[in-house]
Amino acid sequence: MLRIAIQAKGRLNEESIELLAEAGVSAEESKRKLLTRCNDFPMEVLYLRDDDIPQAVSMGVADIGIVGLNEVEEKEFDVEIAHKLGFGKCRLSLAVPKTEEYVDVNYFNGKRIATSYPVILSRFFKEKGITAEIHEIAGSVEIAPSVGMADAIFDIVSSGSTLVTNGLKEVEKVLFSEAVMIANKSLSDEKKKILDQLLFRIEAVERSRGMKYVLLNLPHEKIDEAIRILPGMKSPTILPLAQEGWSSIHVVINERELWDKIEQLKAIGAEDILVLSLEKMIL
Ligand code: PRT
Ligand code: ZN
């Protein structure tokens, strides 16, 4: 049995549950329960505040967890990053009032900076040789400059609209973050095996993202040309059709190239083109 900690509510909750569901693991929160057992996989889900997940995993209260890299870096608990998950993307940035003239990071010497991420910020300032006053505040960091509590802020930015609304501009991007799967460093062999199984499923889900399964019919003599048009993955599957002289081609195409490839295939005589979404790709 493997215990995973995920965010109880907030930005990462839904996508964490969704990812597990796509991997065939039901993590549906039953009302007001802190811990639930999955029916279909040897795992139980512990719902926590994101701030507590790195510690829970490092102490072994949970074996693995899904949390923002920003929290992992800030809390400095000794955990392993088992996999990057590609959602919850954001960055930790320094921002100053938009009217300020900003040349480089030396701007921050002697300034007061409000943040909920003092550890990451002091690490950055130390690296850059900056001496500044770091004020740790828990929330609403972005209003600190306008109420006179700070000269600048260091906070999470995603679209950047919160900064704009508060009359601030982003001047240094310090850390790029996304949701990551963290793991306790001394998992038993049995737990490691379950984790590998889970990661195998997650990778299959990730591989299929943005991929389409395409079926089309083509005269035999055009098959070589079709293979040249199709992207550099393994050869497409080619099946003879009942209709004399025709074949059916099955291939996986990245969504970005889909229309381009389809137009080229049509131009050489492809017909009856079907595009299906792909759920999982297991290699
Ligand atoms: O209750 P709990 O402690 O669990 O949750 P929380 O309130 O501390 O965290 P939550 O749910 O807000 O965020 C969880 C994680 O999501 C963060 O640790 C990040 O890894 C990630 N994430 C991704 C974000 C954002 N994007 C984000 N935009 N976390 C916060 N924000 C905030 C940001 O601080 C800004 O004030 O959203 C605001 C809007 O951002 P803009 O730039 O799009 O305007
Ligand atoms: Zn939090």
Side-chain angles (χ1 to χ4, degrees), residues 7 10-12 49-51 68 70 88 90 156 158-162:
Q7 196 187 22
R11 275 164 214 271
L12 302 181
R49 284 200 57 185
D50 68 343
D51 314 58
N70 50 307
C90 58
I156 294 179
S158 162
S159 65
S161 63
T162 302

Side-chain angles (χ1 to χ4, degrees), residues 139-251:
S140 306
V141 171
E142 64 280 358
I143 65 162
S146 62
V147 298
M149 272 174 71
D151 305 305
I153 67 162
F154 178 62
D155 200 8
I156 294 179
V157 181
S158 162
S159 65
S161 63
T162 302
L163 294 184
V164 172
T165 312
N166 289 283
L168 300 166
K169 62 179 177 189
E170 183 178 14
V171 293
E172 297 286 341
K173 295 172 185 169
V174 174
L175 177 85
F176 288 88
S177 179
E178 64 185 271
V180 291
M181 174 87 74
I182 55 172
N184 179 280
K185 283 200 161 166
S186 39
L187 291 182
S188 68
D189 287 348
E190 184 217 333
K191 286 180 175 180
K192 262 191 209 142
K193 220 165 122 192
I194 305 172
L195 174 58
D196 284 347
Q197 220 175 328
L198 179 67
L199 290 176
F200 177 83
R201 294 182 181 194
I202 288 174
E203 280 164 19
V205 171
E206 285 169 345
R207 231 176 271 127
S208 70
R209 281 201 188 120
M211 299 303 244
K212 298 287 172 197
Y213 191 77
V214 179
L215 296 99
L216 54 93
N217 296 337
L218 197 69
H220 283 330
E221 67 273 14
K222 297 289 184 185
I223 288 174
D224 285 345
E225 256 179 277
I227 290 173
R228 256 175 273 134
I229 292 168
L230 293 168
M233 34 186 334
K234 282 186 208 142
S235 326
T237 306
I238 300 167
L239 304 166
L241 288 180
Q243 191 184 345
E244 194 63 33
W246 281 72
S247 291
S248 165
I249 296 192
H250 299 205
V251 69

